[in-house]
Amino acid sequence: MNATYDAVVVGAGFAGITAARDLADRGRSVVLLEAGTRIGGRTYTRPFTGREDLTVDLGGSWVNRELQPEIWREIARYGIPLTEDAMPTSAAFITDGVLRSFPVPAGEIADLERVVGHLRDASKRIAPSQRLSRQPIRDLDVSVDEFIAPLQLGPATRDLVYAALAWYAGADPRNVSMLGFIAQTAGFGHSPYGFFGALTERIIGGAGTLLDRMVEQSRLEIRLDHYVAQIEQSQDGVTVRTRHGQCVRAHSCVVAVPTNVLRHIDFRPGLAGDKQRFLTENHMGRATKPSMLVRHVPARPFALGLGKLQALCLGHEYPDGSCLLMGFGGERTKLDLTDREQIEAAVREYYPEAEVLAVDAHDWNADPLFDGTYRIDRPGQAYDFLRAMNEPEGRIVFAGTDLDDSVWRIWIEGAVHSGRHAADGVSAILAR
Ligand SMILES: Cc1cc2nc3c(=O)[nH]c(=O)nc-3n(C[C@H](O)[C@H](O)[C@H](O)COP(=O)(O)OP(=O)(O)OC[C@H]3O[C@@H](n4cnc5c(N)ncnc54)[C@H](O)[C@@H]3O)c2cc1C
C-alpha cells in the first residue's frame, strides 16, 4: 500500500487542529481523524439547552492575550475579538466552615501573606518561556500538604489553598502534585493572584469561533466519527485503523487525544515502557463545570471555598437582573449536573437567597472520549510524565494540553503550544 499523506493527526481539539494547520501551512498533506461528531474536544461551544439565544462554553473558555503568546498569535492571525470580564464587586468565601466576605479571619492575614510569598518564591525557580521538563524542578513535584507544611497555616488559610487548588484540579487537593500549580503561578507572571485575576478574557461567540476559523482558512480535511483503534508503524510509514475498519496511511502521525484515553489505542509496536507506566492509570483531573441561569445573587458575584462547588464565576449579567454563572466542582463533592435543585443548594451555600432557574453542562468524566477533564498528576508523577510523553516514538509524536511541556499545560494555550511543537516534531521526521 502506498503512503498517502505526509501526516495523519488523531484528535481534533486545539492541539490536533494546530498541528494539522501548521503542517498544512508548510505545504504538507495532512488528514485529521476525530472520534466524535464535532471538532473542539474539551472546548465545546453551543447554545444553553432550552435557551437558543444564549451561547455557552461547556469546556475551555478563559484566555489572556498578554500572558499567553500562542493565543495572542492565533487571535491576531484570524482577527478574533475578545471580551474582558467585569471585575467582581461582591465575593463570598467558605473557609474553616464559615461563610465570609474576606477569605480568612483577621487573625490569619499574616498566614495568607506567608502562603502567597511561599508560592511566589517557588514559582520564581521556573522560567515561563522554557520547557518544564528541562528545568531542575523535580523537587517541586510534591503534595500540597508537603509544600505548605513548613508554613503552619491557620485552618481558614489552609482551606483557601485547598479550595483554590480543588477549583483548578477538580480533585481532592491533598492527592495532587503542587508542580503544576507552581508552574501555573510562573505563567501568571509569578503572581499567585493570577489564580483569581489572570484569565479574564473570552472569545466573543465562544472558543469554537477560533477553531472554526483555523479549520476553514486552511481547508483542513477532517473526518468525524473516525475513532482510531490501532496505530501501527513500520520503517516506511504509519497505518492508522479505526474502530469501523477505515484505514489511513501516512509518513508520520500526531496523536493528540486526552491522555486518559490513550491506552485504548493499540500501538504496534507497543509504546516505550515509561509511557505505558503513566498511561495505565487515570490522572486525577475530574472537574465539573455546570453553567446556570441564576437570580437573586449580588451584582458581579465571585465565590470560592470548600462548599459543594469550589467556585462560582460570572458569565454574563442580563437586564432583568438574572445572570449566567459558571460553577466549578469535582470529585470532592459529586453533584448531579442535570439536577437543578442540587445545583441550587450548592449555590445557596454561598448566596442563600439564590434561585437557580436552569442548568446545563457536559459531563467530561462520563464521556468515554475524555474520561476526565485535564491532566492533574499525583505527587511525584508530574515531572517524569512530561519527560516521557514528549519523546517521539519513531514516526509518532504525541500532542495535547495534558502533556504540554510549558507553564500553560492544561489550558487552551498549552494545547496550541503542544500542537505547534508536534508540527515541528513531524517536520523533523519528514525531513529525515
Ligand atoms: C470544564 C473545563 C473547563 C476548562 N476551562 C478552561 C478555560 O477556561 N481556559 C482554558 O484555556 N482552558 C480550559 N480548559 C482546558 C481546555 O479546554 C483544554 O486544555 C483544551 O481544550 C484541550 O485541547 P486538546 O487538543 O489537548 O484536547 P481535546 O480538546 O480533548 O482534543 C482531543 C480530541 O481527541 C478526540 N479523541 C479521543 N479519542 C480518540 C480516538 N481514539 N480517535 C480519534 N479521536 C479521539 C476527542 O474526541 C477530542 O476531540 C477547560 C477544560 C474543561 C474540560
Side-chain angles (χ1 to χ4, degrees):
M1 205 187 317
N2 289 330
T4 309
Y5 292 93
D6 287 323
V8 54
V9 177
V10 183
F14 263 99
I17 287 176
T18 302
R21 190 274 319 267
D22 283 5
L23 288 165
D25 280 356
R26 296 171 199 181
R28 297 297 188 179
S29 61
V30 50
V31 61
L32 264 151
L33 305 182
E34 164 57 47
T37 51
R38 61 176 182 85
I39 63 165
R42 281 169 281 177
T43 57
Y44 189 3
T45 307
R46 68 153 168 75
F48 191 98
T49 301
R51 286 290 304 267
E52 293 301 307
D53 54 321
L54 301 181
T55 299
V56 279
D57 272 318
L58 300 171
S61 173
W62 281 281
V63 295
N64 181 314
R65 81 189 96 178
E66 280 176 23
L67 291 171
Q68 298 181 319
E70 305 290 344
I71 290 293
W72 192 91
R73 194 178 300 115
E74 297 300 335
I75 60 163
R77 172 169 175 173
Y78 297 102
I80 300 287
L82 298 181
T83 171
E84 169 109 44
D85 288 351
M87 284 296 280
T89 51
S90 62
F93 301 89
I94 299 175
T95 52
D96 196 20
V98 176
L99 178 61
R100 318 167 187 273
S101 56
F102 191 77
V104 297
E108 286 190 33
I109 290 179
D111 297 38
L112 188 57
E113 187 182 17
R114 279 206 313 283
V115 74
V116 166
H118 190 52
L119 185 52
R120 188 182 47 235
D121 290 348
S123 84
K124 285 194 171 156
R125 290 188 42 205
I126 297 179
S129 59
Q130 286 171 30
R131 295 178 62 175
L132 288 180
S133 70
R134 296 288 177 268
Q135 302 187 45
I137 51 173
R138 187 191 256 115
D139 61 305
L140 298 177
D141 192 357
V142 294
S143 74
V144 174
D145 284 345
E146 202 176 334
F147 182 73
I148 60 176
L151 305 177
Q152 299 191 329
L153 299 174
T157 313
R158 192 198 53 222
D159 280 1
L160 183 73
V161 173
Y162 284 167
L165 301 191
W167 167 27
Y168 270 66
D172 185 329
R174 287 164 304 181
N175 299 334
V176 308
S177 167
M178 259 323 274
L179 181 61
F181 300 108
I182 300 170
Q184 188 64 75
T185 309
F188 291 145
H190 304 288
S191 167
Y193 169 71
F195 284 97
F196 309 95
L199 294 173
T200 53
E201 291 180 295
R202 282 175 288 159
I203 292 169
I204 292 180
T209 311
L210 171 57
L211 272 178
D212 288 345
R213 208 68 69 81
M214 292 166 83
V215 170
E216 282 157 21
Q217 285 203 7
S218 295
R219 296 206 177 93
L220 294 180
E221 180 183 345
I222 302 182
R223 300 187 195 167
L224 297 176
D225 205 8
H226 274 57
Y227 182 102
V228 169
Q230 188 188 78
I231 301 178
E232 185 172 6
Q233 60 174 323
S234 63
Q235 277 203 320
D236 33 86
V238 180
T239 305
V240 176
R241 295 188 182 86
T242 71
R243 193 147 65 179
H244 298 305
Q246 296 108 329
C247 178
V248 173
R249 291 265 303 158
H251 294 297
S252 62
C253 179
V254 176
V255 182
V257 307
T259 55
N260 268 2
V261 299
L262 256 178
R263 65 173 172 272
H264 302 310
I265 300 178
D266 172 17
F267 287 92
R268 297 187 180 188
L271 298 179
D274 45 355
K275 285 195 184 74
Q276 301 237 19
R277 183 164 60 90
F278 286 114
L279 297 178
T280 48
E281 194 177 31
N282 268 9
H283 63 74
M284 312 287 293
R286 299 192 86 76
T288 54
K289 182 189 178 189
S291 297
M292 55 199 114
L293 285 172
V294 184
R295 65 181 172 204
H296 305 317
V297 290
R300 295 195 194 164
F302 170 75
L304 177 71
L306 288 181
K308 291 193 184 71
L309 288 168
Q310 278 79 73
L312 289 169
C313 302
L314 180 64
H316 199 75
E317 284 182 312
Y318 302 106
D320 67 359
S322 65
C323 64
L324 177 70
L325 288 188
M326 265 73 87
F328 291 88
E331 283 291 281
R332 264 193 71 253
T333 49
K334 288 184 180 137
L335 288 173
D336 178 349
L337 300 176
T338 60
D339 186 333
R340 188 201 62 79
E341 284 181 16
Q342 268 193 37
I343 301 288
E344 183 175 80
V347 175
R348 283 187 178 173
E349 290 182 319
Y350 296 96
Y351 298 115
E353 310 291 317
E355 188 183 347
V356 173
L357 306 169
V359 291
D360 198 1
H362 182 75
D363 192 341
W364 302 98
N365 304 314
D367 187 331
L369 296 182
F370 303 93
D371 195 9
T373 41
Y374 30 78
R375 190 169 187 94
I376 301 293
D377 290 297
R378 293 170 178 78
Q381 295 194 352
Y383 188 79
D384 291 339
F385 171 81
L386 285 182
R387 286 193 88 101
M389 293 308 299
N390 280 282
E391 281 302 318
E393 296 253 336
R395 293 171 176 273
I396 302 174
V397 174
F398 294 88
T401 204
D402 293 333
L403 52 89
D404 177 48
D405 199 4
S406 85
V407 293
W408 289 108
R409 178 182 179 213
I410 83 174
W411 299 94
I412 297 170
E413 171 77 4
V416 176
H417 179 261
S418 156
R420 272 208 319 131
H421 186 65
D424 290 344
V426 161
S427 298
I429 291 167
L430 294 174
R432 281 208 296 265

